[in-house]
Amino acid sequence: HGDSPHANQLIRRREWILKPDNTFAAARMFDKLVVPNELCAGRFRPFLEDKAVSVLGSPRYCDEWLTKLAEFLPISPLGQSDAKLKIAIFLRKSNFTTFWEEVSEVVQMVSAFKGIEIIIKPHTRSGWKQSLTKEAALLKLSNVNIADNDTHSAHLLSWADVIIDIATSVAFEAVKLNKPVLAADYLHAGRSTVANFMPETELRCRDDVYKKIEGFLVNGCDSFYVEEHRALFLEEMIDVNGSDVLPQYVALLEEQIQVRFV
């Protein structure tokens, strides 16, 4: 099961009851359930015995896979930019509760700063459902662009100086790269994992957005994280049992084969 960008449970429309989600009970069909971290494991533990759950770190954001991924990526379609501060905004899937009116306000406010360029990345699988990407007030802004599906998240992470995140796991890769993530938790109905581990990333109101952007323009983007917070995030969410994550998955698969055929 993939990484969880939310530290809380009630994040989608019409989710009103705080109890174990029976959706995850389907995992009983498997001999083993593998999750990247304890946050993800918590969804399944009410329905599975402890021995059925293995917590092995994040195969998506571990060092080995990020190095390999860089070899597969096509050439970035993003050109050079003269902007003083380049910002990528990653949107969540449309079934999660997002406060779109305020997202639009934030984009327009940030775009009014001099020397800013913004690229908005709709969610890959349901971005066409998100009204923000069709909003006339944003489309007319010369320094705001909507990324198409040929622009991979990794391209945007490489291009951007700062990431504004509305609770997506893409932010995990930005943290790995030591690029500032602004966890815009007040723009959605959740508590982001990034902000939960690193309070210095959290945006709680429009004033916070303004102050952070102004600070980056004046002081640059270095030394953004409290390093102890970032290290704890990487340890508990990515490199759970050490930085060699993928060999643990190989070992588990080999173990399961031996158990079945011996």
Side-chain angles (χ1 to χ4, degrees):
H1 195 271
D3 298 271
S4 175
H6 291 97
N8 67 308
Q9 182 178 335
L10 305 181
I11 52 182
R12 298 171 183 83
R13 289 190 294 276
R14 303 192 68 80
E15 285 187 338
W16 301 337
I17 301 174
L18 197 60
K19 66 178 183 179
D21 185 346
N22 284 326
T23 302
F24 299 108
R28 292 193 188 109
M29 74 176 75
F30 300 108
D31 299 316
K32 277 282 187 181
L33 177 81
V34 187
V35 291
N37 45 61
E38 194 57 43
L39 176 61
C40 289
R43 301 164 169 172
F44 298 94
R45 292 202 185 280
F47 308 106
L48 298 170
E49 295 181 10
D50 284 347
K51 66 180 182 181
V53 181
S54 293
V55 181
L56 300 184
S58 173
R60 171 63 181 87
Y61 297 111
C62 68
D63 291 334
E64 185 178 355
W65 174 243
L66 289 179
T67 300
K68 181 62 67 175
L69 182 62
E71 300 174 10
F72 300 151
L73 276 176
I75 296 173
S76 174
L78 300 174
Q80 295 293 321
S81 172
D82 296 327
K84 186 175 181 181
L85 187 68
K86 302 184 294 296
I87 301 172
I89 301 177
F90 290 92
L91 304 181
R92 198 69 172 102
K93 285 172 69 175
S94 58
N95 61 321
F96 292 89
T97 302
T98 302
F99 308 133
W100 292 111
E101 180 182 357
E102 181 62 15
V103 176
S104 176
E105 291 282 343
V106 165
V107 173
Q108 293 180 71
M109 181 183 76
V110 172
S111 70
F113 282 88
K114 291 183 178 179
I116 293 280
E117 184 175 351
I118 299 170
I119 298 181
I120 299 171
K121 174 68 170 172
H123 192 272
T124 304
R125 294 186 298 279
S126 63
W128 62 274
K129 299 178 182 178
Q130 294 166 341
S131 59
L132 184 82
T133 58
K134 302 178 183 67
E135 190 170 317
L138 301 185
L139 294 176
K140 70 180 183 181
L141 297 172
S142 61
N143 59 343
V144 176
N145 292 288
I146 309 297
D148 58 29
N149 284 336
D150 292 330
T151 304
H152 295 280
S153 295
H155 292 148
L156 277 170
L157 291 173
S158 177
W159 172 86
D161 301 307
V162 172
I163 289 82
I164 295 179
D165 181 58
I166 307 179
T168 71
S169 63
V170 174
F172 292 11
E173 188 170 347
V175 176
K176 288 275 293 190
L177 295 170
N178 210 9
K179 289 197 173 186
V181 172
L182 298 181
D185 281 14
Y186 90 102
L187 298 181
H188 59 88
R191 172 70 172 165
S192 70
T193 304
V194 168
N196 203 43
F197 277 92
M198 296 169 286
E200 63 271 21
T201 68
E202 185 179 7
L203 301 176
R204 292 167 294 182
C205 63
R206 201 179 297 176
D207 292 25
D208 285 352
V209 183
Y210 190 99
K211 291 173 182 176
K212 292 288 189 184
I213 298 303
E214 186 178 51
F216 289 135
L217 286 168
V218 173
N219 303 313
C221 301
D222 296 332
S223 303
F224 172 73
Y225 294 103
V226 175
E227 193 51 42
E228 292 83 356
H229 297 167
R230 179 172 173 270
L232 183 62
F233 171 85
L234 296 176
E235 177 184 343
E236 295 202 12
M237 297 300 297
I238 310 293
D239 303 327
V240 175
N241 305 311
S243 59
D244 288 334
V245 171
L246 296 185
Q248 298 174 58
Y249 281 78
V250 174
L252 182 136
L253 289 169
E254 291 177 338
E255 175 188 292
Q256 293 304 303
I257 292 170
Q258 290 171 4
V259 167
R260 183 168 292 272
F261 292 103
V262 169

